Amino acid sequence: MELSAYAQGGWRLLGDPRRFPRRSYAALLRAAFRSLLDHPRAGLGKANSFILDDPDLKDIDPTVLKHCHAAAATCILEAGKQKADISAISTCLEDCKLDKERIEQFCTEYQKNKDALEILLGSIGRSPLHITDVSWRLEYQIKSNQLHKTYQPSYLVTLNVENSDSGSHPDVSFSCTMEQLQDLVGKLKDAAKSLERATQM
Amino acid sequence: SAVGELGRLAVELLRRGAAPRAYEAAARKLNIGVDTIQHGVEGLTYLLTESSKLMISEVDFQDSIHVLGFSDELNKLLLHLYLDNRKEIRSILSELAPKLPSYHSLEWRLDVQLASRSLRQQIKPAVTIKLHLNQNEDQTAQVLQTDPSTLLHLIQQLEQALGEMKTNHCRRIVRNMK
């Protein structure tokens, strides 16, 4: 696992007990994880509030804080992206001259947040419209102004879909006869069966 | 035989729309004016359309045309014309009703996402679906995706929907409507 020169510089500052006493280091780590995981879409604007509100960080130069926060966030994201193990992370931080205790603190915090981080990173990216739910309506047609005595059941199916970027999207609606719905369900069941077979391999 | 010819033209009118040249050909063949042909065809078309729309019985049809004072042979001819073409005419009329996009077919594919720019070493199963719909003569295709648990949920919900027609409630309504 490799970090950019800028990030490494930030970590070296973080490793310096004169700039970052123990409590401040722990506070910055907390702030870094919270800013990434608690409000993923809010961006760095929210991050500032985590940092500025913490009493353990108020004595540190804001430029340094910004640098170190960026360095910490970069390391967290890089480790998450690569699914790095503890030894890889430790080696990386050792290169930045961090002492054993601080490395351990980071790794502990990372382990705690690893799953949430993975979910967050996995959700970023483009994908086709995602079906989240379906609703249906069954009606029995009696007549129209063009045709009387039709007497036919008809289904109206609405697929609720979500866009990976913007969240919502107009639903996909269509009508179908009973035979068509049977065809649709049959095909979906084929897909489900294939899925089951694939997971057993 | 003239009526037979006009009947044929009437059904063609319903299937494909007006064909002035066919009228002219018929006019020449039967030695009648084109206008007469057209009126005749339109009259027959109206008779067939209304009868098919209302789905009237044989008896009612015969009673209705009786007032026109035609010969028995002609009446029988008209009745046959009605009964032979009723199903097709009704199917044409059903196209005129207000409609939503309707289901045509569906294709599916199983995918496993292995990595993305933001996360490596993934195993993320997904079902990609191409839904083909018909809307007013056009066919559209939409690509959608879902995850395995939502797929099972969709199947369960739609199977429930299919089962509804078999319930006592629906059966009773269908029986009483006819």
Side-chain angles (χ1 to χ4, degrees), chain B residues 3 24 27 73 95 98 109 113 117 128-129 144 169-170:
Chain B
V3 175
E24 281 163 26
E73 197 191 326
E95 299 286 310
R109 189 180 82 186
Q113 180 165 309
R117 180 178 168 184
T128 305
I129 291 173
L144 306 164
H169 174 77
C170 291

Short mmCIF file of all heavy atoms in Angstrom, two decimals, chain B residues 3 24 27 73 95 98 109 113 117 128-129 144 169-170:
data_model
loop_
_atom_site.label_atom_id
_atom_site.label_comp_id
_atom_site.label_asym_id
_atom_site.label_seq_id
_atom_site.Cartn_x
_atom_site.Cartn_y
_atom_site.Cartn_z
N VAL B 3 -73.28 -7.73 -52.93
CA VAL B 3 -73.13 -7.54 -51.49
C VAL B 3 -71.85 -8.22 -50.99
O VAL B 3 -71.13 -7.69 -50.15
CB VAL B 3 -74.36 -8.10 -50.73
CG1 VAL B 3 -74.14 -8.00 -49.25
CG2 VAL B 3 -75.61 -7.35 -51.15
N GLU B 24 -63.06 1.90 -57.23
CA GLU B 24 -63.23 2.13 -58.68
C GLU B 24 -63.31 0.80 -59.42
O GLU B 24 -64.14 0.62 -60.32
CB GLU B 24 -62.07 2.96 -59.22
CG GLU B 24 -62.21 4.45 -58.93
CD GLU B 24 -60.90 5.19 -59.10
OE1 GLU B 24 -60.05 4.72 -59.89
OE2 GLU B 24 -60.72 6.24 -58.44
N ALA B 27 -66.62 -0.73 -58.82
CA ALA B 27 -67.67 0.01 -59.53
C ALA B 27 -67.74 -0.45 -60.98
O ALA B 27 -68.83 -0.70 -61.52
CB ALA B 27 -67.40 1.50 -59.44
N GLU B 73 -82.19 -14.30 -48.19
CA GLU B 73 -80.84 -14.71 -48.63
C GLU B 73 -79.82 -13.65 -48.25
O GLU B 73 -78.73 -13.95 -47.75
CB GLU B 73 -80.86 -14.90 -50.15
CG GLU B 73 -79.67 -15.70 -50.66
CD GLU B 73 -79.58 -15.63 -52.17
OE1 GLU B 73 -80.67 -15.57 -52.81
OE2 GLU B 73 -78.46 -15.61 -52.70
N GLU B 95 -57.51 -2.22 -30.03
CA GLU B 95 -56.30 -1.42 -30.16
C GLU B 95 -56.56 0.06 -29.93
O GLU B 95 -55.64 0.84 -29.71
CB GLU B 95 -55.69 -1.58 -31.57
CG GLU B 95 -55.30 -3.00 -31.91
CD GLU B 95 -54.04 -3.43 -31.21
OE1 GLU B 95 -53.05 -2.69 -31.27
OE2 GLU B 95 -54.07 -4.49 -30.57
N PRO B 98 -57.54 3.34 -24.54
CA PRO B 98 -56.36 3.97 -23.91
C PRO B 98 -55.45 2.90 -23.34
O PRO B 98 -55.90 1.97 -22.72
CB PRO B 98 -56.95 4.84 -22.80
CG PRO B 98 -58.34 4.44 -22.66
CD PRO B 98 -58.78 3.76 -23.90
N ARG B 109 -29.64 -11.70 -17.17
CA ARG B 109 -28.23 -12.10 -17.18
C ARG B 109 -27.72 -12.02 -15.75
O ARG B 109 -28.06 -11.10 -15.02
CB ARG B 109 -27.48 -11.11 -18.05
CG ARG B 109 -26.06 -11.47 -18.34
CD ARG B 109 -25.44 -10.41 -19.20
NE ARG B 109 -25.00 -9.28 -18.41
CZ ARG B 109 -24.52 -8.16 -18.93
NH1 ARG B 109 -24.48 -8.02 -20.24
NH2 ARG B 109 -24.13 -7.18 -18.16
N GLN B 113 -19.90 -8.61 -9.86
CA GLN B 113 -18.94 -7.51 -9.92
C GLN B 113 -17.71 -7.89 -9.10
O GLN B 113 -17.83 -8.26 -7.93
CB GLN B 113 -19.58 -6.23 -9.37
CG GLN B 113 -18.62 -5.06 -9.40
CD GLN B 113 -19.34 -3.74 -9.21
OE1 GLN B 113 -20.32 -3.48 -9.90
NE2 GLN B 113 -18.87 -2.94 -8.29
N ARG B 117 -13.46 1.06 -9.45
CA ARG B 117 -12.39 2.02 -9.22
C ARG B 117 -12.23 2.30 -7.73
O ARG B 117 -11.13 2.52 -7.24
CB ARG B 117 -12.75 3.32 -9.95
CG ARG B 117 -11.72 4.39 -9.78
CD ARG B 117 -12.11 5.62 -10.55
NE ARG B 117 -11.26 6.74 -10.17
CZ ARG B 117 -11.40 7.97 -10.61
NH1 ARG B 117 -12.36 8.23 -11.47
NH2 ARG B 117 -10.59 8.92 -10.22
N THR B 128 -28.97 -8.61 -14.17
CA THR B 128 -29.24 -7.53 -15.12
C THR B 128 -30.39 -7.97 -16.00
O THR B 128 -30.42 -9.09 -16.50
CB THR B 128 -27.99 -7.25 -15.97
OG1 THR B 128 -26.90 -6.97 -15.09
CG2 THR B 128 -28.21 -6.05 -16.86
N ILE B 129 -31.36 -7.07 -16.17
CA ILE B 129 -32.58 -7.41 -16.89
C ILE B 129 -32.81 -6.44 -18.04
O ILE B 129 -32.61 -5.23 -17.88
CB ILE B 129 -33.79 -7.33 -15.93
CG1 ILE B 129 -33.69 -8.47 -14.90
CG2 ILE B 129 -35.10 -7.43 -16.68
CD1 ILE B 129 -34.72 -8.37 -13.82
N LEU B 144 -32.25 -2.78 -16.66
CA LEU B 144 -32.41 -2.58 -15.22
C LEU B 144 -31.55 -3.60 -14.50
O LEU B 144 -31.11 -4.59 -15.07
CB LEU B 144 -33.88 -2.79 -14.82
CG LEU B 144 -34.91 -1.97 -15.58
CD1 LEU B 144 -36.29 -2.55 -15.37
CD2 LEU B 144 -34.89 -0.53 -15.10
N HIS B 169 -63.10 -14.43 -4.23
CA HIS B 169 -63.59 -13.08 -4.50
C HIS B 169 -63.58 -12.79 -6.00
O HIS B 169 -64.60 -12.40 -6.59
CB HIS B 169 -62.71 -12.08 -3.75
CG HIS B 169 -63.02 -10.66 -4.05
ND1 HIS B 169 -64.11 -10.01 -3.51
CD2 HIS B 169 -62.41 -9.75 -4.85
CE1 HIS B 169 -64.14 -8.77 -3.96
NE2 HIS B 169 -63.13 -8.59 -4.77
N CYS B 170 -62.42 -13.01 -6.63
CA CYS B 170 -62.32 -12.70 -8.06
C CYS B 170 -63.20 -13.63 -8.89
O CYS B 170 -63.82 -13.20 -9.86
CB CYS B 170 -60.86 -12.80 -8.51
SG CYS B 170 -59.84 -11.49 -7.83
#
